[in-house]
Amino acid sequence: MRASQFFISTLKEAPADADIVSQKLMLRAGFIRKVAAGVYNWMPMGLRSLRKVESIVREEMNCAGAIEIVMPVVQPAGLWQETGRFDGMGDELLRFKDRHERDFVIQPTSEEVVTDIARNELKSYRALPKNFYQIQTKFRDERRPRFGVMRGREFTMKDAYSFDRSAEAAGVSYDTMYAAYCRIFDRLGLTYRAVAADTGAIGGDRSHEFQVIADTGEDAIVYCPNSDYAANIELAEAVAPAGERAAAAEALTKVHTPGVKTIADLVRFLNIDIKATVKALVVEGEEGDAVLMLVRGDHELNEVKAEKIAGIKKPLTMATPALINKAFGANPGSLGPVGFNGRIIADRTVAKMADFVIGANEDDQHYTGANFVRDCVEPEVADLRNVVVGDASPDGKGELAIQRGIEVGHVFYLGTKYSKAMDATFLDEDGKPKHFEMGCYGIGVTRILGAAIEQNFDDKGMIWPDSIAPFSVVICPVGYDRSEAVKATADQLYGELLAAGVDVIIDDRGERPGAMFADWELIGAPHRVTIGDRGLKEGKLEYQHRRDSEATAVAPADILPLLLAKLG
Amino acid sequence: MRASQFFISTLKEAPADADIVSQKLMLRAGFIRKVAAGVYNWMPMGLRSLRKVESIVREEMNCAGAIEIVMPVVQPAGLWQETGRFDGMGDELLRFKDRHERDFVIQPTSEEVVTDIARNELKSYRALPKNFYQIQTKFRDERRPRFGVMRGREFTMKDAYSFDRSAEAAGVSYDTMYAAYCRIFDRLGLTYRAVAADTGAIGGDRSHEFQVIADTGEDAIVYCPNSDYAANIELAEAVAPAGERAAAAEALTKVHTPGVKTIADLVRFLNIDIKATVKALVVEGEEGDAVLMLVRGDHELNEVKAEKIAGIKKPLTMATPALINKAFGANPGSLGPVGFNGRIIADRTVAKMADFVIGANEDDQHYTGANFVRDCVEPEVADLRNVVVGDASPDGKGELAIQRGIEVGHVFYLGTKYSKAMDATFLDEDGKPKHFEMGCYGIGVTRILGAAIEQNFDDKGMIWPDSIAPFSVVICPVGYDRSEAVKATADQLYGELLAAGVDVIIDDRGERPGAMFADWELIGAPHRVTIGDRGLKEGKLEYQHRRDSEATAVAPADILPLLLAKLG
């Protein structure tokens, strides 16, 4: 590509409403332009990277035996009513009526339509397994779209859906997709981690998120540096501390704690170790009763774990002040298990504590030296909290670490959730209809670009992996319009690279060198060749990788083999 | 591709609601599946052909210097309000509100968004010319979606928009696109014609439709077999007959014509040549007056031509019975120019007529022997009618012929219509802002598949051009699962074709030969190789093009070169 025939539009400053690095850089480098909140034009430069991501995803999906289809953006409400999602999904599902007042949605995913395909087309077990995928425009009417393509409203997603005879066979499909995702993210050139994720009501252990590692990521990823254990923070298990609970050593003592409402207040007021305190949280039980949950003062309640406990109202609902007051005779800030007659669930760590500090169920009063059994009932014990750095890994192979990540893919075993809701069956070998065992597998295609940038940037701009750079190589001739020698050398290299199948752009716009280099550093083309009169007189060109701090002098005859070697 | 790993789903019968051949065949062959009226799933087989069309369109657009972008499916109403199309377009524009009650549309085209890009990005004449295109999902909420992908609601369109400094430069962009379209339709392997089309309010002569020739086409295409004249029926000029008007020879005679309401009635009742009759049509003038238009009895009023005449109400409005009765003192069926005081416009052919038969402006009365000047005023003369086969070509090079066609592309000079409405300007060389001169260029990507089928089918199914067939070559082994020799020969040829880059499928499903051949005749793979034990014993395979009535015996060693030669 010649830059003069392409469209390069860079900005010195990002628009004021851009929140994060990738969004700012994509706007500045002319990858995207905003049309409405969370809705963007894909400009020529950005579209090149987007198409490269799509191609890699498509190739690996095909390789893994998945079959491409395209399901419509606009889908009739009827199918969505069969699964209850038409009414059950929130305002993120964009609903509208056509000119005949019939209800439609714009697809955020396509479980309903693909399950309808399966029940119409896959009549026999002989047709299984099948995995249909599409790379298609999606829309989610986010309440507050932000972070550019990371949380936009209109976006491109690859969504695949597998159909199998049995849960066991679905496991094979799941593993095939898991392996394909690893190949995809390897080829994209990104540092990522596949982490176990919550399966919600489906159950089982077949749910993994693919997380691109980036300090700016929204998600916390828990992993063990000594093993392959990795899970998202919702799922990561907090194991019980080793050893038995110590015997009570202190007396239960009521302390007047005026104005103390939080654990931080308490620690400051009593000048104690936060690890000696216990936080009391009250949630609603299924019967509308108040259930007391206890986590150590420095720990955080994990709501996903809490919600899964039998007898707890779903979705997890914090108790109202009125319910708390009725159940405890005190207000939040001074609650605790002593004297409480309702259900008490202690986190595994709390269950091992002795002589702890806790609310006294009287406003502005706490107890020190509290102990289970002696001062209150022995609680139920459950894993109730988020893990923290240094916790023991559940596989016993060391201590947990935490990274930030950006979720770009998800593989998920659906079981018969959708096939039962839509009565989608096939005839099995025994002649009887059975519901399909399904899995769904998503990749946020547009999101990947944002994640790639969050992982690879510096103060000059983006730094693209070769495989998804808008151009792998940029030739920057200094004085292309003035020097015959520069023009001839640049054009020759350009021709040779094109002939070798390299995705190269030659910047023949005639920009000043400073502006030209700044553009390409912003755009983040990984390999740059600079050609100038001064160097040519010495028989030299310059090669610089976008991560290199300095250029390397290269003889003209060596540049092509050098580039081909770098591009692998 | 191995058929066992692909998804083939053919139907014996098309669903009852399919109207036309292409729709029936696409449904039967498993190219598409209906999701809602005018909304389809693209199934694996159809998607392959669709992607091939997209690739050819993309390659030629890139070759022609157009630059690919993607504009969102969901677009904010604000831009559409600037051009007046938000309120001005009919119900085909799908409008909806997002969760915050803001108005949006689903794009049927993207003039507004691309013009917004231009006014933000193309600041200087130095940035021009530019031509941005996208291949993107569109939605038109057709009142009565029908004909499968030919008049669906959700469809894929390639839409390009050129921006130029001047009308002259816009003409160059127009010509470039015209040439690119010719290359595209050549490569698609379709018989087509570029025909001049009406430019409406824009004026000028820069509007051409690309019509795929098919007997089932909705559009009438007028052309001259001896020249390159071609226009659609709306635009094709009906020239005046040669020679002068004959002198009046008959007396004006009133004839009682009870029950005669139509020209057919009149011809039958008086037993005369239809070419001696004149049809009277009454339309509204701009002042609400009745305007009488006269075309020969066997001709049809061309409403596009009629509407363009100065002083005629736009859009063309037929006069109400009340207005007619007031202006003529008679009802439709007996109207004419004799005694009418209003405006009279005669078609060029009528203007040359003498002694014609026409309504007498009395119910159930006609005149024979009517003549202009002697019996009524000399009328205004205009081209008012559709041409018919045998009319003189406007270029004087012979007689016109008419074919049926399916519009699959349109190139159109827009002038400053959108740039003025949205005040989209660039700074010209003189330092002054000027409105962009624009052109728009559409290709109905999904529609092309329907048109290709309407042009290429027989009673067994579709017949694809090589370039857009879902598979170019199908290998049909008879007894793949039973005969080692068949399997070995088939697998070897499959491997060789793959290695040669041929898009080949091997039907290893183990279907009975009759069902297998019927599937591939329906699907329309152009080249078929049949491999069976009986032939192999004689050292023969069979080659058959989808258009061949018989297979040709070929030695195994000759089949690869034969196929490569056929595939060009």
Side-chain angles (χ1 to χ4, degrees):
Chain A
M1 181 67 74
R2 290 188 169 271
S4 59
Q5 286 158 28
F6 193 59
F7 182 74
I8 298 175
S9 174
T10 55
L11 304 173
K12 285 255 186 307
E13 301 288 338
D17 62 350
D19 321 293
I20 56 166
V21 165
S22 57
Q23 183 183 12
K24 288 178 188 172
L25 291 176
M26 288 179 87
L27 287 163
R28 284 189 54 209
F31 275 50
I32 55 174
R33 289 288 180 256
K34 183 173 161 180
V35 182
V39 177
Y40 292 90
N41 287 319
W42 282 88
M43 300 298 285
M45 193 68 79
L47 187 59
R48 290 183 69 90
S49 285
L50 184 64
R51 293 279 188 242
K52 290 185 183 183
V53 174
E54 285 180 13
S55 288
I56 290 172
V57 170
R58 179 174 287 118
E59 283 170 25
E60 293 298 337
M61 290 302 292
N62 291 346
C63 241
I67 301 173
E68 190 173 6
I69 61 175
V70 172
M71 293 175 275
V73 173
V74 170
Q75 304 187 345
L79 294 172
W80 286 73
Q81 280 155 348
E82 288 189 52
T83 61
R85 291 212 298 173
F86 185 75
D87 298 310
M89 264 185 93
D91 286 342
E92 288 185 11
L93 179 64
L94 194 117
R95 302 162 178 89
F96 65 86
K97 287 178 191 293
D98 74 358
R99 65 191 291 165
H100 300 301
E101 294 291 311
R102 284 182 292 236
D103 287 309
F104 283 83
V105 307
I106 303 191
Q107 63 157 317
T109 59
S110 276
E111 280 83 355
E112 285 79 2
V113 172
V114 81
T115 304
D116 186 52
I117 290 176
R119 70 180 167 186
N120 292 327
E121 301 283 339
L122 308 176
K123 304 284 193 190
S124 154
Y125 71 95
R126 286 188 205 87
L128 304 180
K130 276 285 174 296
N131 186 339
F132 292 117
Y133 78 97
Q134 64 176 347
I135 298 177
Q136 173 68 312
T137 304
K138 302 286 192 300
F139 197 90
R140 281 191 197 153
D141 201 2
E142 295 273 355
R143 196 174 59 80
R144 203 162 79 78
R146 58 194 188 280
F147 307 153
V149 300
M150 303 278 271
R151 195 170 290 282
R153 293 200 284 176
E154 184 168 323
F155 56 98
T156 301
M157 190 165 128
K158 187 284 297 173
D159 42 329
Y161 306 90
S162 63
F163 296 88
D164 278 284
R165 287 178 73 178
S166 64
E168 191 186 358
V172 175
S173 293
Y174 183 93
D175 293 342
T176 301
M177 281 295 102
Y178 184 102
Y181 274 40
C182 291
R183 284 193 302 275
I184 288 168
F185 292 106
D186 286 343
R187 284 185 62 188
L188 292 172
L190 300 176
T191 304
Y192 67 96
R193 211 178 265 282
V195 306
D198 183 40
T199 52
I202 306 276
D205 57 359
R206 292 195 199 129
S207 170
H208 285 86
E209 293 168 358
F210 284 75
Q211 296 267 1
V212 165
I213 306 304
D215 292 341
T216 54
E218 279 191 290
D219 296 341
I221 302 169
V222 180
Y223 68 102
C224 176
N226 308 321
S227 73
D228 61 359
Y229 181 81
N232 67 17
I233 195 85
E234 283 79 30
L235 187 70
E237 185 183 357
V239 297
E244 295 302 305
R245 183 194 295 161
E250 300 177 13
L252 184 70
T253 309
K254 193 181 284 182
V255 184
H256 182 51
T257 51
V260 167
K261 293 288 170 201
T262 66
I263 291 290
D265 294 343
L266 186 64
V267 166
R268 206 161 34 230
F269 186 83
L270 296 180
N271 193 24
I272 50 172
D273 185 354
I274 193 171
K275 293 182 179 170
T277 66
V278 171
K279 206 185 310 190
L281 298 127
V282 188
V283 305
E284 280 191 42
E286 276 174 354
E287 312 294 326
D289 52 319
V291 178
L292 178 63
M293 293 189 166
L294 303 174
V295 296
R296 202 171 71 186
D298 58 327
H299 287 158
E300 278 179 14
L301 182 73
N302 180 311
E303 299 194 0
V304 172
K305 293 176 180 175
E307 183 180 294
K308 274 194 225 168
I309 294 172
I312 300 300
K313 187 172 170 185
K314 294 159 200 9
L316 190 75
T317 307
M318 301 312 291
T320 60
L323 176 59
I324 290 173
N325 213 298
K326 186 171 158 230
F328 292 86
N331 291 308
S334 296
L335 305 179
V338 180
F340 175 59
N341 293 323
R343 185 174 176 193
I344 304 174
I345 310 173
D347 177 62
R348 289 166 171 174
T349 301
V350 171
K352 294 286 180 78
M353 289 171 72
D355 300 327
F356 49 84
V357 180
I358 185 80
N361 291 335
E362 279 178 54
D363 288 351
D364 294 335
Q365 300 287 345
H366 282 78
Y367 286 120
T368 61
N371 282 276
F372 292 117
V373 185
R374 187 192 72 185
D375 306 324
C376 63
V377 296
E378 179 73 40
E380 291 176 50
V381 181
D383 176 10
L384 276 186
R385 67 172 175 94
N386 289 336
V387 298
V388 294
V389 173
D391 275 346
S393 176
D395 63 5
K397 296 192 177 163
E399 293 185 353
L400 293 176
I402 295 183
Q403 285 177 314
R404 306 302 300 180
I406 299 166
E407 186 188 345
V408 288
H410 200 158
V411 292
F412 197 94
Y413 167 61
L414 286 170
T416 54
K417 179 178 171 183
Y418 288 91
S419 58
K420 280 194 174 147
M422 297 180 68
D423 198 23
T425 60
F426 62 97
L427 282 186
D428 209 349
E429 205 160 2
D430 58 10
K432 290 182 185 154
K434 277 198 189 141
H435 289 106
F436 296 102
E437 287 281 342
M438 292 172 57
C440 68
Y441 315 94
I443 289 183
V445 173
T446 37
R447 192 169 226 240
I448 280 173
L449 295 180
I453 297 165
E454 295 289 338
Q455 187 176 85
N456 301 281
F457 70 93
D458 62 16
D459 55 354
K460 293 175 188 162
M462 318 174 181
I463 306 172
W464 287 101
D466 289 358
S467 60
I468 54 174
F471 295 97
S472 317
V473 176
V474 56
I475 300 173
C476 289
V478 176
Y480 184 82
D481 48 348
R482 297 186 314 271
S483 162
E484 270 305 314
V486 166
K487 183 173 187 306
T489 309
D491 284 346
Q492 186 186 334
L493 179 61
Y494 175 61
E496 288 168 351
L497 286 167
L498 279 186
V502 173
D503 188 23
V504 59
I505 185 166
I506 179 168
D507 195 339
D508 58 353
R509 293 176 297 165
E511 292 279 335
R512 289 174 300 102
M516 176 168 62
F517 296 149
D519 272 355
W520 290 107
E521 282 162 352
L522 175 59
I523 293 164
H527 306 278
R528 187 174 91 196
V529 178
T530 308
I531 301 173
D533 265 327
R534 203 181 321 172
L536 285 182
K537 276 175 197 145
E538 296 164 15
K540 297 288 182 193
L541 315 175
E542 283 186 351
Y543 167 80
Q544 188 167 6
H545 189 276
R546 178 64 181 78
R547 290 192 190 279
D548 294 344
S549 54
E550 306 254 320
T552 309
V554 181
D558 297 338
I559 188 71
L560 183 63
L562 176 79
L563 285 170
L564 296 180
K566 297 257 182 205
L567 292 166
Chain B
M1 181 66 74
R2 292 188 168 270
S4 59
Q5 285 159 29
F6 193 58
F7 182 74
I8 297 174
S9 173
T10 56
L11 304 173
K12 284 255 185 308
E13 300 287 339
D17 63 350
D19 319 293
I20 57 168
V21 165
S22 57
Q23 183 183 11
K24 288 178 189 172
L25 291 176
M26 288 178 85
L27 288 163
R28 284 189 53 210
F31 275 50
I32 54 174
R33 289 288 181 255
K34 183 172 161 181
V35 182
V39 177
Y40 292 90
N41 287 320
W42 281 89
M43 300 298 285
M45 193 67 81
L47 187 59
R48 290 182 71 90
S49 285
L50 184 65
R51 293 279 189 240
K52 289 185 184 184
V53 174
E54 285 180 13
S55 288
I56 289 172
V57 170
R58 179 174 287 120
E59 283 170 24
E60 293 299 335
M61 291 301 293
N62 291 346
C63 241
I67 301 173
E68 189 173 7
I69 62 175
V70 172
M71 293 176 276
V73 172
V74 171
Q75 303 187 346
L79 293 172
W80 286 72
Q81 280 153 350
E82 288 189 52
T83 61
R85 292 212 296 174
F86 185 75
D87 297 311
M89 265 186 93
D91 286 343
E92 289 185 11
L93 179 65
L94 194 118
R95 302 163 179 87
F96 65 85
K97 288 180 190 292
D98 73 357
R99 64 191 291 165
H100 299 301
E101 294 292 310
R102 283 181 294 236
D103 286 309
F104 283 83
V105 306
I106 303 191
Q107 63 158 317
T109 59
S110 277
E111 280 83 355
E112 284 79 2
V113 171
V114 80
T115 304
D116 185 53
I117 290 175
R119 71 180 168 187
N120 292 327
E121 301 283 339
L122 307 176
K123 304 283 192 190
S124 155
Y125 71 94
R126 288 189 205 87
L128 304 180
K130 276 285 175 296
N131 186 338
F132 293 117
Y133 79 97
Q134 63 175 348
I135 298 177
Q136 173 66 313
T137 304
K138 302 288 191 301
F139 197 91
R140 280 189 198 154
D141 201 2
E142 296 273 355
R143 195 174 59 79
R144 204 162 79 79
R146 58 194 187 280
F147 306 153
V149 299
M150 303 278 272
R151 196 170 289 283
R153 294 200 285 176
E154 184 168 324
F155 56 99
T156 302
M157 190 166 128
K158 187 283 298 173
D159 43 330
Y161 306 88
S162 63
F163 296 88
D164 277 285
R165 287 177 73 179
S166 65
E168 192 187 357
V172 175
S173 293
Y174 184 93
D175 294 342
T176 302
M177 279 297 101
Y178 184 102
Y181 275 40
C182 291
R183 284 195 302 275
I184 288 168
F185 292 107
D186 286 344
R187 283 186 62 190
L188 291 173
L190 299 176
T191 304
Y192 68 96
R193 212 179 265 282
V195 306
D198 184 40
T199 53
I202 306 278
D205 58 359
R206 293 196 197 127
S207 170
H208 284 87
E209 293 168 359
F210 284 75
Q211 295 267 1
V212 165
I213 306 304
D215 293 340
T216 54
E218 279 191 292
D219 295 341
I221 302 168
V222 179
Y223 68 103
C224 175
N226 309 321
S227 72
D228 61 359
Y229 181 81
N232 67 17
I233 194 85
E234 283 79 31
L235 188 70
E237 186 183 356
V239 298
E244 294 303 305
R245 183 194 295 162
E250 301 176 13
L252 182 71
T253 309
K254 192 180 284 182
V255 184
H256 182 51
T257 50
V260 167
K261 293 288 171 200
T262 67
I263 291 290
D265 293 344
L266 185 64
V267 165
R268 206 160 35 229
F269 187 83
L270 297 180
N271 192 24
I272 51 172
D273 184 353
I274 193 170
K275 292 182 181 171
T277 66
V278 170
K279 205 185 312 188
L281 298 127
V282 189
V283 305
E284 280 192 43
E286 276 175 354
E287 311 295 325
D289 52 318
V291 177
L292 178 63
M293 294 190 165
L294 302 174
V295 297
R296 203 172 70 185
D298 58 326
H299 287 159
E300 278 179 13
L301 181 73
N302 179 311
E303 299 194 0
V304 172
K305 294 176 181 176
E307 182 179 293
K308 274 193 223 170
I309 295 172
I312 301 300
K313 186 172 169 185
K314 293 161 202 1
L316 189 75
T317 308
M318 300 313 288
T320 59
L323 176 58
I324 290 173
N325 213 297
K326 186 169 155 230
F328 291 87
N331 291 309
S334 295
L335 305 180
V338 181
F340 177 59
N341 293 323
R343 186 175 177 194
I344 304 174
I345 309 174
D347 178 61
R348 290 165 170 173
T349 301
V350 171
K352 293 287 179 80
M353 289 171 73
D355 301 328
F356 49 83
V357 179
I358 185 82
N361 292 334
E362 277 179 56
D363 288 352
D364 293 336
Q365 299 287 345
H366 282 77
Y367 284 121
T368 62
N371 282 276
F372 291 117
V373 184
R374 188 191 72 183
D375 305 325
C376 64
V377 296
E378 179 72 39
E380 291 176 52
V381 180
D383 176 10
L384 277 186
R385 69 172 174 94
N386 289 336
V387 299
V388 294
V389 173
D391 276 344
S393 176
D395 63 5
K397 296 191 176 164
E399 294 184 352
L400 293 176
I402 296 183
Q403 286 178 313
R404 306 301 300 179
I406 299 165
E407 186 188 344
V408 288
H410 199 158
V411 291
F412 197 94
Y413 167 61
L414 285 170
T416 54
K417 178 178 172 184
Y418 288 91
S419 58
K420 280 194 174 146
M422 297 180 67
D423 199 23
T425 61
F426 62 96
L427 282 185
D428 208 350
E429 205 161 1
D430 58 10
K432 289 181 184 153
K434 276 195 192 142
H435 289 105
F436 296 103
E437 288 281 343
M438 292 172 58
C440 68
Y441 315 94
I443 289 183
V445 173
T446 36
R447 192 169 226 238
I448 280 174
L449 294 181
I453 296 165
E454 294 290 337
Q455 187 177 84
N456 301 281
F457 69 92
D458 63 15
D459 56 355
K460 292 176 188 160
M462 319 175 181
I463 306 173
W464 287 101
D466 289 358
S467 60
I468 54 174
F471 295 96
S472 317
V473 176
V474 56
I475 300 173
C476 290
V478 176
Y480 185 82
D481 48 348
R482 296 186 314 272
S483 159
E484 270 306 312
V486 166
K487 182 173 189 307
T489 308
D491 285 346
Q492 186 187 332
L493 178 61
Y494 176 63
E496 288 168 351
L497 286 166
L498 280 185
V502 173
D503 189 24
V504 57
I505 185 165
I506 180 168
D507 195 341
D508 58 351
R509 293 176 296 165
E511 291 281 332
R512 289 173 302 103
M516 176 167 63
F517 296 149
D519 273 354
W520 290 107
E521 282 162 352
L522 175 60
I523 292 163
H527 306 278
R528 188 176 92 197
V529 179
T530 308
I531 301 172
D533 264 328
R534 203 181 321 173
L536 285 182
K537 275 176 196 144
E538 297 164 15
K540 297 287 181 194
L541 315 175
E542 283 185 351
Y543 167 81
Q544 187 166 6
H545 189 276
R546 179 63 181 77
R547 291 192 190 279
D548 295 344
S549 55
E550 305 254 320
T552 308
V554 181
D558 297 338
I559 188 71
L560 183 65
L562 176 80
L563 285 169
L564 295 180
K566 298 257 180 205
L567 292 167

